Each structure stands twice: as structure tokens, then as C-alpha cells.
Amino acid sequence: MTKQRALLIGWRLEAVTALRRLGADVSCVLTPGDDERRAGILDDGHTFPVPDATNTEWTLAALKRRDVSAADFDVVCAHSEDPLVNAAVVGGARSRMTVDGALVLRDKDLQKSLVRAAGVPVADSRVIVHAAELADFPYARGVLKPLDGSGTVGVRDWHDDRERARVVAELEAEPAGGPWLAEEWVDGCELHLDGVVRGGEVRFLSVGRYLQNVLGIRGGGLVASVIVRADRHPDLFDRARELTAHALKALEHHDGVFHLEAFDQGDRLVFGECAGRIGGSVVDRTVEHQYGVDLHDEWARTVLGLESALTPSTARDTFGMLSLYTPAGRLRSCPTESEVAAKEGVRHVSLRARPGDLRPEPGAASNRPAALVVVAGEDERQTTDRMHTLARWFSAAAVLSRTDGGDA
């Protein structure tokens, strides 16, 4: 049997591994920085270096320099969010996702318009081209975000007119302009819904509840979530499945993986946004520990046109994921992976920070954790308590030098 030739746009080790495990011959469009990471994994003949893997022109030029085209591959795909549209454009019929489908999963305004038209509860929103237009946005509390952003990068919020004026002034002082998406503030506990859809049917769903809404890190909150189990919260789980099914149908995301954010208002769920990728942080590891489901394998199976291999089984413990941070300053030392792994309930550790790193204020960069951890407990309360204890210990154990030369 001939191997399928897959062109992956944007480096992801998990994607290369998953595709190869299913018998694919993988090549990758990657940046010079990622080119160093692929050493020993992909040879020169299977890599196409570009300045930016989201840029279609550079991607096509890199292929042409080797006298290669998308037609030489059976499938063209992206595992991460940023190159999704590029993969659809370059791949054409060889991509499992259309250009329109990729755009909808990237552009927050397009997707909110579609789910709103389908009757799915969602915040009122408006595209803001010039910062001054925000003054006329008819909500006393709101959020402003990049149209194609992810996480909290570039996101600003306001809770009164004074704070709104501050946001306008900040935007006007920046060299990069709009457009942005302005949204009314949505109350409720933030959830992340992760899973697999095939043939328009939600085949697997994991529901996670953030301990504090992600923007709360700016006030010192934890970036952490705990799995909401269907056997303990059947009503919430049923509402989450219904919202997910309706939203994915509206977005015409019929096959693949998804990461969807929503807000629980008690009597209903409100759609936040949706991505056609596996969730960030250690969503993949948390889901695998809780349900035995390999989301990377399911992504690769969809890309290669293979049947799903889902056989979920709920573990006895309740799992959660936690981002660990240090105070700001030049990092001199912090707990090692083995030291973190030895703490009660810890099941997985990915240490990101290294001695010598300049660590930012935790509240200013939720996307730059020092470590990512999966934690287990007998129930949600024990898992949550263990995460709080772990976060306090890790932050206190880190040794940093302040930029003024003192110690922190």
C-alpha cells in the first residue's frame, strides 16, 4: 500500500508524529526557528523553510524552488490555528477544509455572525476600524480583541466609561491599527469544550470549567480548568453538547477536531468562539488522562480520510490543567520537572521556563507560563485545591533577579 504524502503547514511535532503513526509520508512548511526543532525528525528533503508559515506567497515560492507543488501531495493540512487559511488556499481540493471554512474558524466576526443567525446565544458585537469608534459602542462593559486572535493576546476589556476611554487612548498610541472586534461583556463561568466531529455529528465531547475566567489572571487569578464530568453534571453536559452541535453546524465544521469557548449563565450557555484545532495549554494531555482519547490521532485520521478510532472511557479521578507562573524578573532558578511531578496529584509536567529567561508579570502574559501541568484528584474540589497549592509553591520557590539588580 502506497503511503499518503502529507504536507503540513506550520511545524508541530505532535502532528508529524500522529500522521506518521498512521503511515503518512510527512513534509513540512516551517520557519527558520522551527527548522532547528525538526533536526533528527524530518530531513532537508521533507522541509520547506519560509519566513512565515501563514503567508501563501512564501509557501508557494518555497515549494516552487524545489520544483514541487501542492499537486504532488495527497493532503495539505495545518495542525495549529494561524496557518489554517494558508493550508486551505495552498491545498485546494487536497485540503480537508475549504477556504471559507478556514476563514470562519479564524475570523471572530464571521463566526459570531453565523452562529447568531442560527439562533445560538452569543454576545452582541461590532467591527471597529478606528479606535475612536469604540466610544459609540452601546455597552458600558465590553471586550475588544483582534479579529483573528487566540487566547488573551491583544485582548482589552472595560467596565465603565473611564476604562473605555483608557482603551481608546492605548489603541490610538499604538502603531498597528484596527480593525478589531468589540463585544458586549458576557457574565458567566467560562467553559472550554473540546472534541471530535465527524459527518456533522459530535462524536466526542470534553467539557472543562475554568477556575476563573481567563481574563481574571490580570487580577492574580489562576489560569486553570477542571473537567466537568457527564456522570456528575449531566444537565450541564447536555447543554454543552447541544450548543456545540448547533454552533458547529452553523460554522459548517463537519469533520475534525474543535476547541470551543462558552459561558455558563446557569439557565443557558452563551457561545464565545470556536477554533478548528486542538485546544492549547495541555488540553490534549488532560483529555487523554480523563477519557483515554488521543485528539492528535483523531485529527490525523480526519486529515487522512480514515475512520475514527474513538473508544472513550472515563477515568475514576477528575483531571484538570494548570499554568504555572513565576514573579517578573530574570529567572535564576525554579523547580525542575521532576520536583513538580513529585507533588501530590501531578500526572504530567511540561516545563517551559529556563534559567536566564526574562519572565514577564504573570498578569500581562497568560500565554507565557513557566510550566504546564495536569493534576488529578478524587473530585473537582480536591483537584482544585491541589492546583492552588501547587501554584503557590511553584511561584514561591522560583528565584529571580529584578531588572534593577536586586533579588525577587
Side-chain angles (χ1 to χ4, degrees):
M1 181 178 177
T2 304
K3 286 186 175 183
Q4 289 197 63
R5 295 191 64 193
L7 178 63
L8 174 68
I9 299 185
W11 170 256
R12 270 299 175 85
L13 176 59
E14 299 91 341
V16 173
T17 302
L19 290 167
R20 280 181 164 178
R21 191 182 296 125
L22 295 172
D25 178 24
V26 184
S27 296
C28 187
V29 174
L30 39 64
T31 64
D34 291 326
D35 192 48
E36 299 173 3
R37 300 184 181 92
R38 61 89 179 178
I41 300 167
L42 292 177
D43 58 35
D44 291 347
H46 285 79
T47 58
F48 302 91
V50 294
D52 182 350
T54 70
N55 187 291
T56 300
E57 179 181 345
W58 288 337
T59 300
L60 293 174
L63 295 173
K64 191 170 183 59
R65 266 190 285 275
R66 300 270 189 84
D67 197 25
V68 174
S69 75
D72 295 317
F73 297 91
D74 299 295
V75 61
V76 178
C77 59
H79 185 274
S80 52
E81 185 167 349
D82 290 346
L84 210 59
V85 174
N86 189 22
V89 173
V90 171
R94 288 167 176 77
S95 173
R96 299 294 178 185
M97 190 174 292
T98 66
V99 174
D100 282 350
L103 282 170
V104 164
L105 290 170
R106 287 285 290 137
D107 188 284
K108 305 301 183 288
D109 178 56
L110 294 176
Q111 66 176 236
K112 287 175 189 290
S113 296
L114 287 173
V115 298
R116 187 179 298 115
V120 177
V122 62
D124 192 12
S125 60
R126 177 187 303 173
V127 173
I128 300 294
V129 178
H130 303 288
E133 297 173 24
L134 189 61
D136 297 324
F137 190 60
Y139 294 97
R141 299 187 300 160
V143 178
L144 191 79
K145 59 182 63 174
L147 287 168
D148 62 349
S150 60
T152 62
V153 178
V155 177
R156 295 174 169 87
D157 60 300
W158 71 90
H159 298 273
D160 55 40
D161 288 339
R162 179 182 59 81
E163 290 185 355
R164 189 206 309 241
R166 171 185 52 78
V167 171
V168 172
E170 290 175 355
L171 295 174
E172 290 179 334
E174 292 183 352
W180 306 274
L181 187 68
E183 300 179 1
E184 66 171 316
W185 182 268
V186 177
D187 289 313
C189 180
E190 194 170 0
L191 308 175
H192 59 90
L193 316 179
D194 303 275
V196 178
V197 59
R198 283 299 194 99
E201 176 190 356
V202 178
R203 299 283 297 277
F204 169 75
L205 178 66
S206 170
V207 179
R209 180 190 290 116
Y210 288 105
L211 304 193
Q212 184 173 359
N213 290 8
V214 176
L215 288 179
I217 189 178
R218 296 171 181 174
L222 288 185
V223 176
S225 69
V226 176
I227 294 290
V228 176
R229 297 168 54 128
D231 55 348
R232 297 175 185 174
H233 302 274
D235 291 342
L236 175 57
F237 204 91
D238 287 345
R239 290 201 302 274
R241 181 176 288 276
E242 181 179 14
L243 175 81
T244 301
H246 288 162
L248 294 180
K249 181 179 180 181
L251 300 175
E252 297 187 1
H253 185 43
H254 304 306
D255 292 283
V257 295
F258 59 85
H259 174 72
L260 191 153
E261 304 277 346
F263 296 90
D264 181 10
Q265 297 186 328
D267 58 339
R268 69 170 189 167
L269 297 184
V270 178
F271 176 91
E273 54 191 51
C274 181
R277 57 167 171 81
I278 296 168
S281 184
V282 279
V283 164
D284 54 351
R285 298 283 189 169
T286 308
V287 166
E288 191 162 11
H289 277 87
Q290 187 70 74
Y291 298 109
V293 170
D294 185 341
L295 291 174
H296 299 288
D297 180 68
E298 288 299 315
W299 167 84
R301 288 178 176 276
T302 303
V303 164
L304 298 175
L306 303 176
E307 291 293 323
S308 168
L310 282 168
T311 55
S313 177
T314 305
R316 180 177 299 178
D317 285 339
T318 295
F319 290 83
M321 63 180 188
L322 167 67
S323 296
L324 295 173
Y325 298 87
T326 72
R330 184 72 64 182
L331 184 65
R332 294 168 59 186
S333 67
C334 69
T336 64
E337 284 194 358
S338 59
E339 289 173 330
V340 178
K343 292 298 181 180
E344 195 169 30
V346 174
R347 297 291 184 268
H348 170 79
V349 184
S350 175
L351 189 64
R352 303 295 181 88
R354 297 290 183 269
D357 289 352
L358 184 61
R359 301 298 307 162
E361 288 287 349
S366 67
N367 63 327
R368 286 196 58 197
L372 299 170
V373 185
V374 176
V375 179
E378 293 180 356
D379 52 28
E380 290 178 39
R381 175 173 293 182
Q382 186 179 73
T383 303
T384 299
D385 289 345
R386 287 176 171 176
M387 289 196 289
H388 277 286
T389 299
L390 182 61
R392 288 193 295 267
W393 165 78
F394 187 89
S395 180
V399 179
L400 299 100
S401 298
R402 296 197 304 265
T403 53
D404 61 8
D407 290 337

